[in-house]
Amino acid sequence: MSSDVTIILPDGSEKVIGPGGTGADLATQLGSRAANDALIAVANGTQLDLNQPLPDGASVSLVFPASEEGLEVLRHSTAHVLAQAVLALYPGATFSIGPPIEDGFYYDFDLPDGQTFNDDDLERISAKMKEIVGRKQPFIRNEIQREEADQLFADHPYKLEILDGEADDPTSSPQGGVITTYRNTDEFVDLCRGPHVPDTGYLGHFKLMRVAGAYWRGDETRQMLQRIYGTAWSSKKELKAHLERLEEAAKRDHRKLATELDLLSFPTELGGGLAVWHPKGATVRKIMEDYSRQRHEEGGYEFVYTPHLANERLFQTSGHLDFYADGMYPPMEMDNGTYYLKPMNCPMHCLIFAHGQRSYKELPLRLFELGTVYRYERSGTLHGLMRIRGFTQDDSHLYVAPDQLADEIASLLDFVLSVLRAFGFDEFTFNLSTKNPEKYVGSDDIWDEATDALREALDRHGLEYVVKDADAAFYGPKIDIDVKDAIGRSWQLSTIQCDFNLPERFDLHYVAADGERHRPIMLHRALFGSIERFFGVLIEHYGGAFPTWLSPMQVQVLGVRADHDTFASQVVERLKAQGFRAEMVEADNPLGSRIRRGKLEKLPYILVVGDTDVENDTAGVNPRGGEVERDVPISEFIERVKSEVEAKETTPRVG
RNA sequence: GCCGGUGUAGCUCAGUGGUAGAGCAGCUGUUUUGUAAACAGCAGGUCGUGGGUUCAAUUCCUAUCACCGGCUCCA
């Protein structure tokens, strides 16, 4: 019955391998490199261990460590080694799930008597893992019956829950009723779908990163497990490069840079998640806000202001107290009622719309406010400027007639992207979130219409987007816009949301051409999202080196000697008269030292003036990231930087 | 909120059961400097906060606040 097996390689060629031929056999035939490096085989789209037989006639490819798929296998296998090490070192420990993730893997454990891991444990565990890797233990796949599985995992209740189907784990839940395990030694076996690398010797370029608590099945009412995160790569070089990327990201950390550059701080006296803006940070913020106002003015928005507090009746009407009371600050009892800090601006904007009779001729009505809101974020979720309790939204609410919806969304998209581009972002991702059938208000028709309008706007702009099914808020579908930063990280910033709920709740209407009252549709739109968060993203995007138009200090002027200080301050006055942010630095320290300070401040320009400059009305121009240029006429420098600022260029002009 | 960690000068950090130290920054002098660190001196901290143990606590315990890494949540 055993006959040769023929398989088809990715290039279309056929290959005959012996009876019961495996991926390993194929790899051997393909050459020594393949034989040494291949991790798994993929036959007709199904991943197989290298020692599993290949089906006759299958299209087969081998997976190598350098590929995404290969890395996933490496990481998954490394997670097993982690589990083996932990179970060996901590008697009584049990394990739950351990999948590969971006850049690495994790495994969740439960230690007896509520014990926890610390950094020293990570060292120990890591050493044990290296030992296991050195032993080149094979990963042996077995298909077993439930009885046997129950026996094998009798001491591991989380595995039993997975076997029972109560917990779903994509890497180990039985598939099609087949229970598979991977055994490395007599002592260590894990419930797992695989596939895995042939033996642990294929692993080793890993690092255990941190330990963290994680709820079993991601459910905060359940047991908190001890999760160990690690990173794993196909080579030492890759591992090193990854660790360097982490260092690069750490250098850009907005919390660190905000302190170093004296932009803002989070005084403990204020309480968690509340920031104060120092003059330099406030300068950048003001420029951001001024630009935003200018654009909104040009874009046909009307500016409004609303208070920070409101009577509870407002939030009953808006539904916030029903849906989001947990996220609001506790009520304040006052002599004439109960008041709340506002978590959103929209209810107040609805009051403005509701004031007086609205005509269809006023639509679309675009209300805009830099509105400060307060949300009670749980203490453990706070994170610098990215997650904060008091923040200001660049919030706008657009009230449109139903037949205006598509056009309004399309022009809104233009508007948003144009403003984001001005801040130096040019790579976007769009997410379209659709109705959650479990949780929504409004008729199906209007949901379809609004979703189509959002989709059409994206299509009209030729933008690709990801549909996130059932991810919409209860009140309407939305488009979220993510930007990519300078080192490739994604940040969710802008959002355009349709809302059929609030116009109902506030009984908003306008009189149309037919003389009848109609219900407007409302669009929520945040562009920066929160000013605080957007600023944080800007800091990280630019690594603190703001473009000249945003930089809190644009030019420092340094005299070579003290007797040049007078000329230096004259230059500063001329720069200021032209609207630049400039300052003179007295020659009380060596020039090199003063330059260094300016560089550490990441200033766009440092001007040095000496004898010849005083004589010729010139300066030596030292731009951030460029070469020094001597004898530049002051007037020329002014014109140069002026056009740079107007164009909102992202790096200082050089030469 | 939950798990783990951290909190010492403006910043970055060392250190100890016997009431604390460095570098940078600051101030004062001296130096007069052509593109990333001149020299000297001075000043600066109730060691996050409250309670406890102790003859004695910054150090040990405890509570609390804040921050860091995750989990959960995010209108």
Side-chain angles (χ1 to χ4, degrees), chain A residues 105-144:
Chain A
F105 59 91
Y106 67 79
Y107 217 115
D108 286 351
F109 301 96
D110 197 4
L111 297 179
D113 309 319
Q115 288 177 66
T116 55
F117 293 118
N118 60 34
D119 288 348
D120 292 339
D121 290 317
L122 290 190
E123 293 281 324
R124 273 182 78 202
I125 295 164
S126 188
K128 186 77 183 175
M129 288 173 70
K130 300 274 182 201
E131 193 187 310
I132 293 166
V133 165
R135 292 216 185 104
K136 299 188 199 276
Q137 297 169 354
F139 282 82
I140 299 164
R141 182 177 194 273
N142 281 304
E143 290 186 14
I144 60 171

Side-chain angles (χ1 to χ4, degrees), chain A residues 320-427:
Chain A
H320 286 92
L321 279 173
D322 292 336
F323 288 95
Y324 310 113
D326 286 351
M328 292 169 67
Y329 270 91
M332 285 166 275
E333 299 300 334
M334 291 159 71
D335 49 10
N336 64 342
T338 302
Y339 283 72
Y340 284 91
L341 280 168
K342 66 174 168 181
M344 292 187 89
N345 299 301
C346 37
M348 305 210 182
H349 291 184
C350 284
L351 294 181
I352 293 171
F353 184 93
H355 185 81
Q357 283 226 328
R358 296 291 173 184
S359 154
Y360 72 98
K361 294 176 184 170
E362 293 178 73
L363 305 186
L365 182 70
R366 307 183 182 98
L367 301 182
F368 173 72
E369 176 177 16
L370 290 167
T372 303
V373 298
Y374 297 89
R375 297 182 183 178
Y376 175 72
E377 302 283 2
R378 297 206 281 178
S379 61
T381 64
L382 299 171
H383 182 93
L385 289 169
M386 302 305 178
R387 194 79 178 267
I388 197 170
R389 284 180 175 155
F391 59 97
T392 301
Q393 294 180 309
D394 61 335
D395 208 359
S396 101
H397 294 101
L398 305 93
Y399 299 87
V400 303
D403 64 354
Q404 295 173 324
L405 189 61
D407 281 345
E408 191 62 18
I409 292 169
S411 76
L412 200 44
L413 211 45
D414 272 332
F415 181 78
V416 170
L417 295 185
S418 156
V419 174
L420 290 178
R421 283 198 180 94
F423 284 91
F425 298 108
D426 45 24
E427 218 179 310

Side-chain angles (χ1 to χ4, degrees), chain A residues 11 33 52 178 217 219 230 235 257 292 359 406 412 422 448 468 532 554 592 596 612 650:
Chain A
D11 64 4
R33 196 193 144 262
Q52 284 181 270
V178 181
R217 295 200 226 164
D219 179 345
S235 66
L257 288 170
S292 168
S359 154
L412 200 44
D448 290 345
K468 291 197 167 173
E532 282 77 1
Q554 297 171 313
R596 178 166 188 274
T612 58
T650 51

Side-chain angles (χ1 to χ4, degrees), chain A residues 6 33 84 105 143 147 189 228 236 287 357 370 384 396 402 446 512:
Chain A
T6 306
R33 196 193 144 262
Q84 186 182 345
F105 59 91
E143 290 186 14
E147 295 71 34
V189 61
I228 295 176
K236 194 172 175 179
I287 296 161
Q357 283 226 328
L370 290 167
S396 101
I446 201 156

Side-chain angles (χ1 to χ4, degrees), chain A residues 13 245 278 476 541 585:
Chain A
S13 63
R245 279 195 296 277
H278 301 192
H541 178 55
V585 178

Side-chain angles (χ1 to χ4, degrees), chain A residues 294-305:
Chain A
Q294 180 204 324
R295 292 297 306 268
H296 281 86
E297 201 157 3
E298 292 164 3
Y301 288 75
E302 304 193 60
F303 291 30
V304 298
Y305 295 93

